[in-house]
Amino acid sequence: MDPLQKAYWEYAQVKGSIDLIQPDSWEDDVICAWSAITQASFPFEEGFHISFELSRVAGRLDIILFRTTELGTRVEVLVIECKSPKHDQPAEWESSRDQAVAYLADTTNSALIYVGVGIGLRARFYKVTQIGTKDAPDFRVFNVGVGEDKTKPLHLVHDREDIGIVLHRLRVHAQEYRFGLVSLD
């Protein structure tokens, strides 16, 4: 990671937001934590913008991280679907990912986007292609360079370095490509 940028867990606001997530927490607590994490990891000064919705607004993605290109085009970098800890069940991970992609199919023109699913204190990232095409979306777990089992959900505290690597790689590549994202492969 960039030695000049603090890691997300070093910010008091992020620590406080993560500490609020308990087994009986509401979805809004998870949204607040991810909002703080994305704000810390993707600075406004570098052209990143964050839109977030509270859980009371049905049918919307919880967090959308985007950049505006020099041509004025909005390019989604990462979208995050959040759920309360009670949804930390195997079927809920796939369902939450599918919910995010279904929303994106109607709203984005990106051929490639990264989706995060945050359920309680755990997260999983996906690289998604073929959104909005006649073909079914293609999903791949995107826990790049992360541990031995790249498919397991990552814990916001215990796996914070691994999550930091994923977020940093997304940030660097989004900065390098002013006219859209490219594959990190």
Side-chain angles (χ1 to χ4, degrees):
M1 289 200 307
D2 183 349
L4 300 177
Q5 182 181 357
K6 289 172 36 175
Y8 73 82
W9 60 86
E10 296 178 291
Y11 291 87
Q13 177 187 2
V14 174
K15 284 183 190 175
S17 296
I18 291 171
D19 288 345
L20 289 176
I21 301 175
Q22 301 298 316
D24 61 346
S25 289
W26 292 80
E27 182 175 310
D28 288 350
D29 294 330
V30 179
I31 293 171
C32 287
W34 276 103
S35 177
I37 290 167
T38 53
Q39 288 175 38
S41 302
F42 299 90
F44 177 79
E45 297 81 16
E46 295 178 15
F48 293 102
H49 305 279
I50 300 165
S51 170
F52 68 97
E53 300 289 339
L54 295 179
S55 62
R56 292 172 205 61
V57 180
R60 304 283 305 266
L61 282 168
D62 296 314
I63 297 174
I64 302 171
L65 174 73
F66 63 96
R67 286 195 78 186
T68 304
T69 68
E70 292 175 355
L71 299 176
T73 304
R74 176 179 157 149
V75 177
E76 286 90 358
V77 175
L78 172 67
V79 298
I80 303 172
E81 179 61 32
C82 299
K83 299 289 184 190
S84 67
K86 72 179 182 183
H87 292 280
D88 192 359
Q89 305 294 325
E92 293 281 347
W93 287 96
E94 186 175 324
S95 170
S96 297
R97 178 204 66 195
D98 292 348
Q99 179 182 350
V101 173
Y103 176 77
L104 286 171
D106 295 332
T107 62
T108 189
N109 58 2
S110 297
L112 163 68
I113 197 158
Y114 297 91
V115 172
V117 175
I119 299 180
L121 287 169
R122 298 180 347 131
R124 185 180 280 157
F125 299 92
Y126 301 91
K127 173 183 170 182
V128 185
T129 58
Q130 304 181 100
I131 298 172
T133 68
K134 61 179 172 39
D135 299 319
D138 178 44
F139 304 102
R140 191 156 44 106
V141 174
F142 182 71
N143 292 346
V144 173
V146 180
E148 291 183 21
D149 182 1
K150 292 179 173 57
T151 63
K152 73 174 183 75
L154 302 170
H155 192 278
L156 286 176
V157 177
H158 308 303
D159 298 318
R160 65 187 186 190
E161 288 87 3
D162 294 337
I163 291 173
I165 290 169
V166 171
L167 297 176
H168 178 74
R169 290 189 71 182
L170 286 172
R171 180 176 149 252
V172 168
H173 283 271
Q175 290 170 327
E176 289 177 357
Y177 298 93
R178 290 183 259 164
F179 302 107
L181 292 173
V182 297
S183 172
L184 300 182
D185 295 333

